[in-house]
Amino acid sequence: MNLGMNFTSSSSSWKSNDKASDQFPAGLRVLVVDDDPTCLRILEKMLRNCLYEVTKCNRAEIALNLLRDNKNGYDVVLSDVHMPDMDGFKLLELVGLEMDLPVLMMSADDSMDVVLKGVTHGACDYLIKPVRMEALKNIWQHVVRKKKHEWKEKDFEQSGSFEEGEKCQKPLEDVDYSSSANEGNWRGSKKRKDEEDESEDRDDTSQLKKPRVVWSVELHQQFVNAVNQLGIDKAVPKKILELMNVPGLTRENVASHLQKFRLYLRRLSSASPHQNALNNSFMGPSDPTFLNGLDFQALAASGQIPSQSLATLQAATLGRSTTKSTIPVALVDQRNIFSFENPQQRNNTGKQQVNLLHGIPTNMDSKQLANLQQSAYMSQSNLVPSHTVQPQPRTQLLNDIAGTRVSRNGIDFSRSNSEMRVSKNVVPNYDVYNEINQNRNQDWTLQNVGSTYGSSLHGGPDVLRPVLVESGFSSKGQSSIPVKSLGIDQQFNSSLVDNSLRVKAEMGFENGLYSGHFGQDDLMSAILKQQEGMGPVGNEFGFDGYHLDNLPV
Amino acid sequence: MEVNQMQRSFLEYANVLFREGFLDGQFSQLQMLADESNPDFVVEVVSLFFEDSQKLLNDLTTTLDQQNVNFKKIDAHIHQLKGSSSSIGAQRVKNACIAFRNFCDQQNVEGLSFGSSITFAFLFQLEQQIVAAGGAIPILSEFS
């Protein structure tokens, strides 16, 4: 690779990589920032094993200083999201603005809204802890991608070096480093998109000395809003430009950005055929939350979320006016039920529900969706025989639930007096329930959801599954069920856990419903019932022995 | 010699720990990272983890004991513990964190102290197991 030729004009940081160009990824200079010493050490070791040059620090301030003092000293920054002294997103923004380096975020937090936040703040990627070697091995791709953009821009300003730039970039793309499939890297699609962009940018070089336009988050936001207003099909650069009303922005800038955007969308929607149908239905011009929808597609395409969740999410955003930061992921889970549910389920509440059960219907407008959501939950009452459902408070509740932030992974442990949290990770855990062969009333199969969700979110399902192992949610008579559900072994069975956990599990899963397979909606209804009234519902749920006060802690 | 032997027996015992669900696949990744230049990598990291997590849990308990509990802080603690335990592969600890984090959202102090006790217990359990395996962490650090 003759990277050297191009270096007179472009970023000088590549000069140091000249010699290492044969083994390209080696020698990549990584700055890793994490306040957790354990993670930091592990990351450092992993990165060293990838033959990268690693600098570690545990404070964002230190990282910024390092970066500022040594502007060209680093190729990529790896930062944790949650840090005590500075928010990881803030660091992300600053690095992007000041040094324009690719920044990858990391977190143990895999909730959608945080990941989305990372994306919208311009993170090149979002890695979920525990970070695996495979993920780190591929970070160099982000560097290349970014550099490529820079080269292109800078080259346009030079007369004559353009040819070299193109030639030099070709070999890089041909290098056969494929991202591990497991990553489901939703940014990976950008690489091919970038290749196609080359031809488009070449056209622009006819007008030389084009100043570089940085498509910041805000600018992109304006762009998307404009496109949104016009409608993706009707969005032409001229009109978008007018709508955006940004001084200094040219029609060409918008045009090239639009083209990339379209390719991006196309890439995402072609990621899975099923998804295609779903995406189409949510990309209507009247969609006020277009950007949200977009990012969801991105996420879905990566495999980070199953397409059904995507649809749900989009449905959720369509059906309510939500701010970008709070995404009612709760509804995702609920939707999952409906898309995955066994068609055998008895459901006689009408056509709408039936549709739901067989998959997310397309071509629904937001109003319909909202109705569906409501009626869908109503239908739960039919699906769950022993329940007496009060529809009204339920839908109210659902809205509340949906509006609130989804809780972290895990079982919902306690009684909740105020806000109800839908346990997002309950879904994947149901994976386990298939193993439990006890009396079931109905044949809920959530296995697909579980495994998809679990495996796509993390490197492997083993991360999630152990949470609910061997849960024996059987009849009320059983005494020490969910002790194991935490992976807690017999030692703790006796004293600490017995009553409390038991009751919780009973709360959620008993009611003579089923002990084998659990539909998510069953859990939902159980949880909702719990919310609706601990008192009156108590007996039904076997709350008898349950009070947190009794905890022998 | 002694160190190697201890490490070997620890590594053998690690299989037991995997089976029992104390450790998960991430720990294997760590084991693979150790090489000639960093032979004690696993020990080093595990020590770091225990140190850090014990501190975290202590902080957590202190925070919980206060009059006005700072739930945000607690959430941050739990989150970090979850992160580090998952990076190490301390499966049970991690799962416990996941499970009791909900209490934080609900601002349930009792639940939180309950949860943190369990987590602490798991941590201690793991530590004990490792020590029992002959990979006595505190002792080994003398050699490295």
Side-chain angles (χ1 to χ4, degrees):
Chain A
M1 287 189 269
N2 305 334
L3 296 174
M5 285 199 294
N6 210 19
F7 288 147
T8 45
S9 53
S10 58
S11 156
S12 60
S13 69
W14 279 120
K15 284 196 183 121
S16 57
N17 282 342
D18 246 15
K19 304 215 166 59
S21 61
D22 289 340
Q23 318 154 31
F24 174 74
L28 196 73
R29 292 156 308 164
V30 185
L31 177 66
V32 54
V33 191
D34 194 335
D35 63 322
D36 183 345
T38 315
C39 293
L40 198 59
R41 181 75 186 93
I42 294 176
L43 285 167
E44 184 195 28
K45 187 72 176 71
M46 283 185 171
L47 289 165
R48 289 245 163 83
N49 278 26
C50 294
L51 302 179
Y52 295 150
E53 228 181 79
V54 187
T55 312
K56 64 176 184 194
C57 59
N58 59 359
R59 301 284 298 273
E61 286 297 337
I62 302 177
L64 274 174
N65 290 336
L66 282 172
L67 287 165
R68 283 171 184 150
D69 292 339
N70 200 353
K71 280 255 168 169
N72 294 318
Y74 301 97
D75 297 313
V76 61
V77 179
L78 214 53
S79 169
D80 189 37
V81 168
H82 298 272
M83 289 190 288
D85 61 335
M86 186 192 295
D87 184 23
F89 296 118
K90 186 101 200 293
L91 180 64
L92 163 63
E93 276 180 17
L94 288 172
V95 172
L97 285 170
E98 293 185 33
M99 295 111 208
D100 196 29
L101 286 176
V103 181
L104 285 78
M105 305 301 296
M106 303 179 286
S107 183
D109 195 349
D110 59 353
S111 51
M112 196 87 67
D113 44 343
V114 186
V115 177
L116 190 64
K117 209 173 165 194
V119 174
T120 50
H121 280 71
C124 285
D125 204 349
Y126 190 102
L127 308 175
I128 297 185
K129 289 185 182 172
V131 180
R132 297 176 79 92
M133 275 287 278
E134 297 90 67
L136 293 177
K137 275 194 189 137
N138 295 320
I139 63 178
W140 67 271
Q141 292 182 7
H142 301 289
V143 183
V144 176
R145 220 166 279 138
K146 220 167 161 104
K147 293 292 181 195
K148 213 157 79 87
H149 278 299
E150 284 179 19
W151 282 335
K152 263 188 270 168
E153 298 291 349
K154 290 196 175 156
D155 283 342
F156 297 157
E157 295 167 22
Q158 319 276 334
S159 46
S161 66
F162 173 66
E163 300 297 311
E164 289 171 19
E166 287 308 310
K167 266 190 239 150
C168 291
Q169 287 168 35
K170 280 283 183 232
L172 277 176
E173 289 158 25
D174 292 345
V175 168
D176 185 23
Y177 291 97
S178 47
S179 3
S180 92
N182 209 17
E183 284 315 304
N185 189 348
W186 44 266
R187 287 286 176 170
S189 61
K190 272 194 101 182
K191 192 163 202 263
R192 273 165 61 208
K193 177 185 76 114
D194 290 347
E195 291 172 15
E196 299 192 18
D197 286 344
E198 274 187 40
S199 51
E200 165 232 296
D201 282 342
R202 233 177 260 132
D203 293 336
D204 289 340
T205 59
S206 56
Q207 302 142 37
L208 292 171
K209 307 258 180 175
K210 204 162 43 93
R212 182 185 176 186
V213 174
V214 176
W215 281 92
S216 67
V217 177
E218 294 85 16
L219 202 59
H220 180 70
Q221 196 67 46
Q222 283 176 284
F223 170 81
V224 172
N225 289 339
V227 170
N228 205 19
Q229 253 178 284
L230 295 166
I232 186 72
D233 296 327
K234 297 205 179 67
V236 283
K238 189 152 173 239
K239 291 205 183 127
I240 299 174
L241 185 65
E242 280 167 32
L243 274 177
M244 284 177 74
N245 198 20
V246 173
L249 197 66
T250 68
R251 194 205 76 84
E252 285 77 23
N253 297 134
V254 177
S256 70
H257 194 73
L258 180 65
Q259 186 153 359
K260 289 180 200 171
F261 197 60
R262 283 218 181 100
L263 288 168
Y264 190 53
L265 295 181
R266 213 173 299 153
R267 187 90 42 232
L268 298 172
S269 56
S270 66
S272 87
H274 179 45
Q275 204 176 319
N276 219 347
L278 295 171
N279 289 346
N280 288 340
S281 62
F282 295 115
M283 275 169 59
S286 56
D287 184 346
T289 56
F290 188 71
L291 177 63
N292 280 350
L294 215 62
D295 294 313
F296 299 160
Q297 288 154 28
L299 289 167
S302 73
Q304 289 274 358
I305 50 174
S307 50
Q308 284 74 10
S309 317
L310 165 68
T312 321
L313 217 49
Q314 289 176 328
T317 54
L318 275 177
R320 46 195 311 124
S321 55
T322 169
T323 62
K324 292 202 173 61
S325 52
T326 44
I327 294 166
V329 186
L331 285 177
V332 176
D333 298 337
Q334 293 147 10
R335 280 299 175 160
N336 280 340
I337 311 163
F338 299 118
S339 34
F340 278 107
E341 263 175 357
N342 202 322
Q344 293 163 23
Q345 287 152 11
R346 289 158 254 152
N347 180 354
N348 47 8
T349 47
K351 197 172 173 213
Q352 272 186 328
Q353 284 71 33
V354 174
N355 282 344
L356 264 177
L357 287 177
H358 289 281
I360 308 285
T362 57
N363 303 324
M364 286 170 53
D365 65 3
S366 46
K367 204 170 161 202
Q368 254 183 312
L369 276 172
N371 287 340
L372 252 186
Q373 289 160 14
Q374 290 206 352
S375 46
Y377 292 118
M378 306 257 207
S379 79
Q380 279 185 1
S381 55
N382 298 323
L383 299 173
V384 174
S386 57
H387 275 322
T388 50
V389 179
Q390 305 139 29
Q392 235 176 350
R394 168 161 294 183
T395 37
Q396 167 100 53
L397 252 175
L398 287 171
N399 289 334
D400 290 340
I401 292 174
T404 58
R405 213 156 157 271
V406 175
S407 69
R408 303 282 185 271
N409 310 331
I411 322 171
D412 191 24
F413 244 121
S414 73
R415 69 178 172 211
S416 64
N417 293 327
S418 52
E419 281 182 16
M420 202 49 221
R421 297 282 167 183
V422 174
S423 206
K424 184 167 87 164
N425 217 29
V426 176
V427 175
N429 293 333
Y430 282 111
D431 195 3
V432 167
Y433 292 160
N434 293 324
E435 302 167 26
I436 302 164
N437 294 321
Q438 283 148 12
N439 43 338
R440 349 174 183 154
N441 291 351
Q442 294 168 16
D443 191 358
W444 314 115
T445 44
L446 260 191
Q447 193 174 4
N448 294 337
V449 179
S451 49
T452 317
Y453 210 15
S455 53
S456 56
L457 281 179
H458 299 268
D462 53 318
V463 173
L464 296 172
R465 214 179 281 141
V467 176
L468 285 177
V469 172
E470 300 174 50
S471 326
F473 297 113
S474 61
S475 59
K476 284 190 184 184
Q478 203 157 340
S479 57
S480 64
I481 318 162
V483 172
K484 283 212 176 160
S485 68
L486 271 191
I488 304 173
D489 65 15
Q490 300 305 318
Q491 282 176 280
F492 296 87
N493 208 353
S494 47
S495 53
L496 299 171
V497 186
D498 207 9
N499 289 330
S500 50
L501 286 184
R502 158 194 174 219
V503 181
K504 174 51 189 181
E506 286 178 349
M507 259 170 22
F509 308 121
E510 278 194 347
N511 325 312
L513 293 178
Y514 13 73
S515 13
H517 291 205
F518 289 83
Q520 170 70 355
D521 56 342
D522 305 321
L523 177 69
M524 276 298 304
S525 48
I527 293 176
L528 289 171
K529 289 242 66 169
Q530 177 194 357
Q531 171 74 351
E532 281 166 21
M534 293 280 293
V537 178
N539 290 335
E540 222 179 277
F541 284 83
F543 274 2
D544 303 348
Y546 178 63
H547 294 286
L548 266 183
D549 313 315
N550 289 346
L551 280 182
V553 172
Chain B
M1 186 74 118
E2 218 175 292
V3 176
N4 287 341
Q5 200 175 3
M6 271 199 249
Q7 288 206 339
R8 228 184 307 124
S9 66
F10 169 62
L11 290 178
E12 282 161 12
Y13 193 72
N15 288 333
V16 178
L17 295 177
F18 281 119
R19 267 207 314 275
E20 294 294 319
F22 285 94
L23 299 172
D24 64 21
Q26 183 66 15
F27 191 76
S28 327
Q29 288 242 322
L30 296 189
Q31 287 179 301
M32 290 194 285
L33 285 177
D35 54 22
E36 284 140 8
S37 56
N38 294 79
D40 299 331
F41 176 67
V42 177
V43 172
E44 183 191 339
V45 169
V46 172
S47 312
L48 264 178
F49 169 66
F50 282 133
E51 237 178 79
D52 193 41
S53 42
Q54 269 163 8
K55 193 162 82 69
L56 270 175
L57 279 171
N58 284 334
D59 285 346
L60 200 119
T61 318
T62 316
T63 316
L64 272 176
D65 287 338
Q66 286 166 356
Q67 279 282 36
N68 296 320
V69 184
N70 183 347
F71 289 103
K72 273 198 107 165
K73 198 159 163 224
I74 293 190
D75 192 66
H77 281 322
I78 301 177
H79 176 81
Q80 178 159 341
L81 187 59
K82 177 184 164 196
S84 52
S85 56
S86 64
S87 301
I88 278 276
Q91 190 172 261
R92 287 195 187 178
V93 177
K94 179 198 72 181
N95 288 342
C97 288
I98 291 174
F100 90 95
R101 195 178 186 179
N102 293 318
F103 289 135
C104 213
D105 297 331
Q106 295 154 18
Q107 310 219 330
N108 183 338
V109 178
E110 289 163 337
L112 282 171
S113 33
F114 168 61
S116 67
S117 320
I118 291 244
T119 311
F120 223 142
F122 281 159
L123 198 64
F124 186 61
Q125 204 179 26
L126 180 65
E127 212 169 352
Q128 277 204 312
Q129 295 286 353
I130 291 179
V131 167
I137 302 300
I139 300 176
L140 268 176
S141 60
E142 289 174 31
F143 292 98
S144 60

